[in-house]
Amino acid sequence: MKWKEERIIDAPIEVVWTLFEEENAQRIMPKVVENRWLEKKPGILGSTYEQTYQEGKRKETYVVEIIEFENTDDRKHKRIQFRLAGAFEMNLLFTLERLNEKQTKFIYAGSNTGINFVGRAMLKLGNKKAGDKVVTDFLDRVEQEAMADYTVSSN
C-alpha cells in the first residue's frame, strides 16, 4: 500500500513543524502512547527511538529510525522507517514547504509493505477505503493541531 497526499495549512511552517517533534507525536498520532529516544544523533539523521502504539488493549513497541531529515527555513522533511508487529515495514514521509508567512504545504507520503506471508495477506485483504480514511484523518489532525497552535500564538 502506498499513498501521497497534499494539503495547504493556514499556519506558518515553524508552527506545523513542531508537531513532528517526537515529543509531540501523541498530538497528531493519538494511538502513540510513548516515544523514548534510544540514540539521538547530532542533526537527528540516523537517530532512533522506541515508540509504543496502542490499539484497544493491545500494545506494540517497535524501533523507529529517522532515515531522512531536512530543516531549512523554506522546507522541512522527515522520513521514518519501522517494522510493525513483525509483519509490516512502514515508511512515512512528512514534508513541509513554506508557501508564504502564513501558509504551509504539507505532503504526507508513505508505504506499508508486508514483510512476511501474514503481512502480505493482511494488506491484500485490507480495505482501501479504510486505508484512505487513516491518511485523511491524519492530514485533518495535523491541520487542526497546527491551526489551534497558530490561533493561540497569534493572539
Side-chain angles (χ1 to χ4, degrees), residues 42-95:
I44 300 294
L45 186 63
S47 296
T48 55
Y49 56 94
E50 193 174 73
Q51 186 170 80
T52 302
Y53 174 92
Q54 186 167 350
E55 182 81 46
K57 290 185 178 181
R58 193 180 64 108
K59 280 187 177 180
E60 181 78 33
T61 299
Y62 43 87
V63 175
V64 178
E65 182 177 5
I66 299 171
I67 55 177
E68 291 177 8
F69 189 83
E70 180 182 346
N71 185 358
T72 65
D73 289 345
D74 293 326
R75 186 172 191 273
K76 317 279 187 195
H77 172 78
K78 184 189 290 186
R79 178 174 162 214
I80 61 173
Q81 183 175 332
F82 56 94
R83 288 192 168 193
L84 184 61
F88 307 101
E89 182 166 282
M90 305 290 298
N91 265 286
L92 305 177
L93 293 86
F94 315 107
T95 305

Side-chain angles (χ1 to χ4, degrees), residues 27-155:
R27 293 186 57 199
I28 55 175
M29 298 178 226
K31 292 181 182 177
V32 169
V33 293
E34 185 182 11
N35 273 341
R36 187 175 60 81
W37 285 106
L38 296 173
E39 183 179 11
K40 190 171 183 178
K41 296 183 177 180
I44 300 294
L45 186 63
S47 296
T48 55
Y49 56 94
E50 193 174 73
Q51 186 170 80
T52 302
Y53 174 92
Q54 186 167 350
E55 182 81 46
K57 290 185 178 181
R58 193 180 64 108
K59 280 187 177 180
E60 181 78 33
T61 299
Y62 43 87
V63 175
V64 178
E65 182 177 5
I66 299 171
I67 55 177
E68 291 177 8
F69 189 83
E70 180 182 346
N71 185 358
T72 65
D73 289 345
D74 293 326
R75 186 172 191 273
K76 317 279 187 195
H77 172 78
K78 184 189 290 186
R79 178 174 162 214
I80 61 173
Q81 183 175 332
F82 56 94
R83 288 192 168 193
L84 184 61
F88 307 101
E89 182 166 282
M90 305 290 298
N91 265 286
L92 305 177
L93 293 86
F94 315 107
T95 305
L96 304 177
E97 296 173 353
R98 178 190 310 274
L99 296 178
N100 58 50
E101 292 306 309
K102 295 182 179 180
Q103 283 190 317
T104 303
K105 180 194 285 188
F106 171 38
I107 304 161
Y108 175 44
S111 64
N112 181 357
T113 308
I115 56 175
N116 59 23
F117 175 77
V118 172
R120 288 188 296 272
M122 287 178 72
L123 287 174
K124 278 191 183 194
L125 296 171
N127 180 335
K128 178 161 174 24
K129 271 189 177 175
D132 291 346
K133 182 175 176 1
V134 169
V135 170
T136 301
D137 287 352
F138 181 69
L139 289 165
D140 290 347
R141 235 179 344 272
V142 169
E143 182 175 25
Q144 289 163 6
E145 291 295 322
M147 298 288 291
D149 285 359
Y150 182 51
T151 301
V152 167
S153 71
S154 63
N155 285 338

